[in-house]
Each structure stands twice: as C-alpha cells, then as structure tokens.
Amino acid sequence: MTFGKRLKKLREEKSWQLEKVAKYLKVSIATVSNYERDFRKPDIDTINKIADLFEVTSDYLIGRTSIKDAILLENEDLPKELKEIGIEYLEVNKELKKKGLSPEDILDIIEAIEKTGLRKRDR
C-alpha cells in the first residue's frame, strides 16, 4: 500500500475531512489531496507530523512495516541480556506498553518462550 493510500485510509477511519488534516499540517487542502493521490510526497517533518496526528509510526506511513502503532526500543534501551541474544531492537505493540511492560518484562517473556523450546536454536 502506498503512502497516499495509507494516509487516506487513516483519515477515513477517523471520519475526518481533508480540511482537518490540512489545518493540522498547516498546508492547503489540495496539498493533502495530492499526498493521498500520491501526486506529491511530504518531507520528513510532515511525515512525522502525520504520524503524530494519527498515532502511527512513520515507518507504517511509508510502508516499511504493516504495524501501525509499534514503538521501537533502540539498542541502548535494551537490557544487556536481550543484547546478548542478538536482538537489535524490538517492536512492541502499543497495547503492551499500555499494560506497563518494561524491557525487563519483555526479557521475562523471552525467557518463558525459551523454556518452552519455541525459540530457534543456534541462529
């Protein structure tokens, strides 16, 4: 799915008019319409504003992931145990974040999975 199609889908899911998005972005309605029809591409700052507006990641908007509301835990934020098993970053669903899961909680989940033998061995 293209950037424009994702933008239009997000806008329609909220039942918003083009005008509302244009006003938030401080651009014309025609500009937003051109984004949605893939006639024009926004700059990175505008992509980030759109991501904030719709509470999705910029990676979702540009098609790098199909997960709308993931947050990324960068390498420096990970406990050393997660780094040791080769995880560079994790995508954590916003719902899990709402439940208060910390990186340590995630480590506990990984350890539980390892105990079941579901984790691939010798990657």
Side-chain angles (χ1 to χ4, degrees):
M1 186 180 293
T2 67
F3 171 85
K5 287 180 182 176
R6 287 186 183 214
L7 173 58
K8 184 173 183 175
K9 182 176 183 246
L10 289 167
R11 182 180 60 78
E12 289 176 344
E13 285 173 358
K14 293 196 177 274
S15 301
W16 289 351
Q17 299 296 316
L18 286 168
E19 182 180 18
K20 180 171 183 144
V21 177
K23 189 174 184 177
Y24 177 83
L25 297 175
K26 298 179 182 165
V27 298
S28 70
I29 293 170
T31 297
V32 176
S33 177
N34 285 332
Y35 292 159
E36 288 188 357
R37 293 182 293 157
D38 290 310
F39 292 167
R40 187 170 173 192
K41 301 289 183 211
D43 61 31
I44 191 68
D45 289 334
T46 304
I47 290 171
N48 287 331
K49 285 180 185 177
I50 294 168
D52 290 344
L53 176 63
F54 291 103
E55 297 178 328
V56 297
T57 64
S58 54
D59 278 351
Y60 172 77
L61 283 173
I62 63 173
R64 292 188 65 197
T65 182
S66 60
I67 301 170
K68 288 182 184 180
D69 55 2
I71 61 165
L72 296 179
L73 293 176
E74 298 297 336
N75 208 16
E76 62 270 8
D77 296 329
L78 295 173
K80 83 175 172 131
E81 294 86 354
L82 290 179
K83 292 178 188 177
E84 288 172 0
I85 61 172
I87 296 175
E88 294 178 7
Y89 66 89
L90 298 175
E91 287 186 346
V92 181
N93 187 291
K94 192 183 277 185
E95 293 304 312
L96 296 178
K97 184 182 177 200
K98 286 179 187 175
K99 293 180 185 200
L101 285 179
S102 68
E104 290 76 20
D105 295 329
I106 295 165
L107 178 59
D108 291 342
I109 292 168
I110 291 171
E111 287 172 357
I113 291 170
E114 286 177 339
K115 287 178 185 174
T116 66
L118 296 176
R119 185 173 173 265
K120 288 183 180 178
R121 308 259 186 251
D122 303 321
R123 291 198 274 165

Coordinates of all heavy atoms in Angstrom, one line a residue, residues 65-111:
T65 N 6.6 -1.0 7.4 CA 6.0 -2.0 8.3 C 4.5 -2.0 8.2 O 4.0 -0.9 7.8 CB 6.4 -1.8 9.8 OG1 5.9 -2.8 10.6 CG2 6.0 -0.5 10.3
S66 N 3.9 -3.1 8.5 CA 2.4 -3.0 8.5 C 1.8 -2.8 9.9 O 0.6 -2.8 10.1 CB 1.9 -4.4 7.9 OG 2.3 -5.4 8.7
I67 N 2.7 -2.7 10.8 CA 2.3 -2.4 12.2 C 2.2 -0.9 12.4 O 3.1 -0.2 12.3 CB 3.4 -3.0 13.2 CG1 3.5 -4.5 13.0 CG2 2.9 -2.7 14.6 CD1 4.7 -5.2 13.7
K68 N 0.9 -0.5 12.7 CA 0.6 0.9 12.8 C 1.2 1.5 14.0 O 1.7 2.6 14.0 CB -0.9 1.1 12.9 CG -1.6 0.9 11.7 CD -3.1 1.2 11.9 CE -4.0 1.0 10.8 NZ -5.4 1.3 11.1
D69 N 1.1 0.9 15.2 CA 1.4 1.5 16.4 C 2.5 0.9 17.2 O 2.4 0.8 18.4 CB 0.1 1.6 17.3 CG -0.5 0.2 17.5 OD1 0.1 -0.8 17.0 OD2 -1.5 0.1 18.2
A70 N 3.6 0.6 16.5 CA 4.7 0.0 17.2 C 5.6 1.1 17.8 O 5.7 2.2 17.2 CB 5.5 -0.9 16.3
I71 N 6.2 0.8 18.9 CA 7.3 1.7 19.4 C 8.6 0.9 19.2 O 8.6 -0.3 19.3 CB 7.1 2.1 20.8 CG1 7.0 1.0 21.8 CG2 5.8 3.0 20.9 CD1 7.2 1.3 23.2
L72 N 9.6 1.6 19.1 CA 10.9 0.9 18.9 C 11.7 1.1 20.2 O 11.9 2.2 20.7 CB 11.7 1.4 17.7 CG 11.1 1.2 16.4 CD1 11.9 1.7 15.3 CD2 10.8 -0.3 16.1
L73 N 12.3 0.0 20.7 CA 13.2 0.1 21.8 C 14.6 0.0 21.1 O 15.0 -1.0 20.6 CB 13.0 -1.1 22.7 CG 11.8 -1.1 23.5 CD1 11.7 -2.4 24.4 CD2 11.7 0.1 24.4
E74 N 15.3 1.1 21.1 CA 16.6 1.1 20.5 C 17.6 0.3 21.3 O 17.4 0.0 22.4 CB 17.1 2.5 20.3 CG 16.2 3.4 19.4 CD 16.1 2.9 18.0 OE1 17.0 2.2 17.5 OE2 15.1 3.2 17.3
N75 N 18.7 -0.1 20.6 CA 19.7 -0.9 21.2 C 20.1 -0.5 22.6 O 20.3 -1.3 23.5 CB 20.9 -1.1 20.3 CG 21.6 -2.4 20.4 OD1 21.1 -3.3 21.0 ND2 22.8 -2.4 19.9
E76 N 20.3 0.8 22.8 CA 20.8 1.3 24.1 C 19.8 1.2 25.2 O 20.1 1.3 26.3 CB 21.3 2.8 23.9 CG 20.3 3.8 23.5 CD 20.2 4.0 22.0 OE1 20.8 3.2 21.3 OE2 19.5 4.9 21.6
D77 N 18.5 1.1 24.8 CA 17.4 0.9 25.8 C 17.2 -0.5 26.3 O 16.4 -0.7 27.2 CB 16.1 1.5 25.2 CG 16.2 2.9 24.9 OD1 16.9 3.7 25.6 OD2 15.5 3.4 24.0
L78 N 17.9 -1.4 25.6 CA 17.6 -2.9 25.9 C 18.5 -3.3 27.1 O 19.7 -2.9 27.2 CB 17.9 -3.7 24.7 CG 17.0 -3.5 23.5 CD1 17.6 -4.3 22.3 CD2 15.6 -3.9 23.8
P79 N 18.0 -4.2 27.9 CA 18.8 -4.8 28.9 C 19.9 -5.7 28.2 O 19.7 -6.2 27.1 CB 17.8 -5.8 29.6 CG 16.5 -5.3 29.3 CD 16.6 -4.7 27.9
K80 N 21.0 -5.8 28.9 CA 22.2 -6.5 28.3 C 21.9 -7.9 27.9 O 22.4 -8.4 26.9 CB 23.4 -6.4 29.2 CG 23.5 -7.4 30.3 CD 24.8 -7.3 31.0 CE 24.7 -8.2 32.1 NZ 25.5 -9.1 32.6
E81 N 20.9 -8.6 28.7 CA 20.6 -9.9 28.3 C 19.9 -10.0 27.0 O 20.1 -11.0 26.2 CB 19.6 -10.5 29.4 CG 20.2 -10.7 30.8 CD 20.2 -9.4 31.6 OE1 19.8 -8.4 31.1 OE2 20.6 -9.5 32.8
L82 N 19.1 -9.0 26.6 CA 18.5 -9.0 25.3 C 19.5 -8.8 24.2 O 19.5 -9.4 23.1 CB 17.4 -8.0 25.2 CG 16.1 -8.3 26.0 CD1 15.1 -7.1 25.8 CD2 15.5 -9.6 25.6
K83 N 20.5 -7.9 24.5 CA 21.5 -7.7 23.5 C 22.4 -8.9 23.3 O 22.8 -9.2 22.2 CB 22.5 -6.5 24.0 CG 21.8 -5.2 24.0 CD 22.8 -4.1 24.6 CE 22.1 -2.8 24.8 NZ 23.0 -1.8 25.4
E84 N 22.6 -9.7 24.4 CA 23.4 -10.9 24.3 C 22.8 -12.0 23.4 O 23.5 -12.8 22.8 CB 23.7 -11.5 25.7 CG 24.7 -10.6 26.4 CD 24.8 -11.1 27.9 OE1 24.1 -12.0 28.3 OE2 25.6 -10.4 28.6
I85 N 21.4 -12.0 23.3 CA 20.8 -13.0 22.5 C 20.6 -12.5 21.0 O 20.0 -13.1 20.2 CB 19.5 -13.6 23.0 CG1 18.4 -12.5 23.2 CG2 19.8 -14.3 24.3 CD1 17.1 -13.0 23.6
G86 N 21.2 -11.3 20.7 CA 21.2 -10.8 19.4 C 20.1 -10.0 18.9 O 19.9 -9.8 17.7
I87 N 19.3 -9.5 19.8 CA 18.2 -8.6 19.5 C 18.7 -7.2 19.3 O 19.1 -6.6 20.3 CB 17.0 -8.7 20.5 CG1 16.5 -10.1 20.5 CG2 15.9 -7.7 20.1 CD1 15.5 -10.4 21.6
E88 N 18.6 -6.6 18.1 CA 19.0 -5.2 18.0 C 17.9 -4.2 18.4 O 18.1 -3.2 18.9 CB 19.4 -5.0 16.5 CG 20.7 -5.8 16.1 CD 21.0 -5.6 14.7 OE1 20.4 -4.8 14.0 OE2 21.9 -6.3 14.3
Y89 N 16.7 -4.6 18.1 CA 15.5 -3.8 18.5 C 14.3 -4.7 18.5 O 14.2 -5.7 17.9 CB 15.3 -2.5 17.7 CG 14.9 -2.8 16.2 CD1 13.6 -3.0 15.9 CD2 15.8 -3.0 15.2 CE1 13.2 -3.3 14.6 CE2 15.5 -3.2 13.9 CZ 14.1 -3.4 13.6 OH 13.8 -3.6 12.4
L90 N 13.3 -4.2 19.3 CA 12.0 -4.9 19.4 C 10.9 -4.0 19.0 O 10.9 -2.8 19.3 CB 11.8 -5.4 20.8 CG 12.7 -6.4 21.4 CD1 12.4 -6.6 22.9 CD2 12.7 -7.7 20.7
E91 N 9.9 -4.5 18.3 CA 8.7 -3.8 18.0 C 7.7 -4.2 19.1 O 7.5 -5.4 19.3 CB 8.2 -4.0 16.6 CG 9.0 -3.4 15.5 CD 8.4 -3.5 14.2 OE1 7.4 -4.3 14.0 OE2 8.8 -2.8 13.3
V92 N 7.3 -3.2 19.9 CA 6.4 -3.6 21.0 C 5.0 -2.9 20.7 O 5.0 -1.7 20.5 CB 7.0 -3.1 22.3 CG1 6.0 -3.4 23.5 CG2 8.3 -3.6 22.5
N93 N 4.0 -3.7 20.7 CA 2.7 -3.2 20.4 C 2.3 -2.1 21.5 O 2.6 -2.3 22.6 CB 1.7 -4.3 20.3 CG 0.3 -3.9 19.9 OD1 -0.4 -3.2 20.6 ND2 -0.1 -4.3 18.7
K94 N 1.6 -1.1 21.0 CA 1.2 0.0 22.0 C 0.3 -0.6 23.1 O 0.4 -0.1 24.2 CB 0.4 1.0 21.2 CG 0.2 2.3 22.0 CD -0.6 3.3 21.3 CE 0.2 4.1 20.3 NZ -0.5 5.2 19.6
E95 N -0.5 -1.6 22.8 CA -1.3 -2.2 23.8 C -0.5 -2.8 25.0 O -0.8 -2.7 26.1 CB -2.2 -3.3 23.2 CG -3.3 -2.7 22.3 CD -4.2 -1.7 23.0 OE1 -4.6 -1.9 24.1 OE2 -4.4 -0.6 22.3
L96 N 0.7 -3.4 24.6 CA 1.6 -4.0 25.6 C 2.2 -2.8 26.5 O 2.3 -2.9 27.7 CB 2.7 -4.8 25.0 CG 2.2 -6.1 24.2 CD1 3.4 -6.8 23.6 CD2 1.4 -7.0 25.2
K97 N 2.5 -1.7 25.8 CA 3.0 -0.6 26.5 C 2.0 -0.1 27.5 O 2.3 0.3 28.6 CB 3.4 0.5 25.5 CG 4.1 1.7 26.2 CD 4.5 2.8 25.2 CE 5.1 3.9 26.0 NZ 5.0 5.2 25.2
K98 N 0.7 0.0 27.1 CA -0.3 0.5 28.0 C -0.4 -0.4 29.2 O -0.8 0.1 30.3 CB -1.7 0.5 27.2 CG -1.8 1.6 26.2 CD -3.2 1.5 25.6 CE -3.3 2.5 24.4 NZ -4.6 2.3 23.7
K99 N -0.1 -1.7 29.1 CA -0.1 -2.6 30.2 C 1.1 -2.4 31.1 O 1.3 -3.1 32.1 CB -0.3 -4.0 29.7 CG -1.6 -4.2 29.1 CD -1.8 -5.6 28.6 CE -3.1 -5.7 27.9 NZ -3.7 -7.0 27.7
G100 N 2.0 -1.5 30.7 CA 3.2 -1.2 31.6 C 4.3 -2.2 31.4 O 5.2 -2.3 32.3
L101 N 4.5 -2.8 30.3 CA 5.6 -3.7 30.1 C 6.9 -2.9 29.9 O 7.0 -2.1 29.1 CB 5.4 -4.6 28.9 CG 4.4 -5.8 29.1 CD1 4.3 -6.6 27.8 CD2 4.8 -6.7 30.2
S102 N 7.9 -3.3 30.7 CA 9.2 -2.7 30.6 C 10.1 -3.6 29.8 O 9.7 -4.8 29.6 CB 9.8 -2.5 32.0 OG 10.0 -3.8 32.6
P103 N 11.3 -3.2 29.5 CA 12.2 -4.1 28.8 C 12.5 -5.4 29.7 O 12.7 -6.4 29.1 CB 13.5 -3.3 28.6 CG 13.0 -1.9 28.5 CD 11.8 -1.8 29.5
E104 N 12.5 -5.2 31.0 CA 12.7 -6.3 31.9 C 11.6 -7.3 31.7 O 11.8 -8.6 31.8 CB 12.9 -5.9 33.3 CG 14.2 -5.2 33.6 CD 14.2 -3.7 33.0 OE1 13.2 -3.1 32.8 OE2 15.3 -3.2 32.8
D105 N 10.3 -6.8 31.6 CA 9.2 -7.7 31.4 C 9.3 -8.5 30.1 O 9.0 -9.6 30.0 CB 7.9 -6.9 31.4 CG 7.6 -6.2 32.7 OD1 7.9 -6.7 33.8 OD2 7.0 -5.1 32.7
I106 N 9.8 -7.8 29.1 CA 10.0 -8.4 27.8 C 11.0 -9.5 27.9 O 10.8 -10.6 27.4 CB 10.4 -7.4 26.7 CG1 9.2 -6.4 26.5 CG2 10.8 -8.1 25.4 CD1 9.6 -5.1 25.8
L107 N 12.0 -9.3 28.7 CA 13.1 -10.3 28.9 C 12.4 -11.5 29.6 O 12.7 -12.7 29.2 CB 14.2 -9.7 29.8 CG 15.3 -10.7 30.2 CD1 16.0 -11.3 28.9 CD2 16.3 -10.0 31.0
D108 N 11.6 -11.3 30.6 CA 10.9 -12.4 31.2 C 10.1 -13.2 30.2 O 10.0 -14.5 30.3 CB 10.0 -11.9 32.3 CG 10.8 -11.3 33.5 OD1 12.0 -11.7 33.7 OD2 10.1 -10.6 34.3
I109 N 9.4 -12.5 29.3 CA 8.6 -13.2 28.3 C 9.5 -14.1 27.4 O 9.2 -15.2 27.1 CB 7.8 -12.2 27.5 CG1 6.7 -11.6 28.4 CG2 7.2 -12.9 26.2 CD1 6.0 -10.3 27.8
I110 N 10.6 -13.5 27.0 CA 11.6 -14.2 26.1 C 12.1 -15.4 26.9 O 12.2 -16.5 26.3 CB 12.7 -13.3 25.7 CG1 12.2 -12.3 24.7 CG2 13.8 -14.1 25.0 CD1 13.1 -11.2 24.3
E111 N 12.4 -15.3 28.1 CA 12.9 -16.4 28.9 C 11.8 -17.5 29.0 O 12.1 -18.7 28.9 CB 13.3 -16.0 30.3 CG 14.6 -15.2 30.3 CD 15.0 -14.6 31.6 OE1 14.2 -14.7 32.6 OE2 16.0 -14.0 31.7

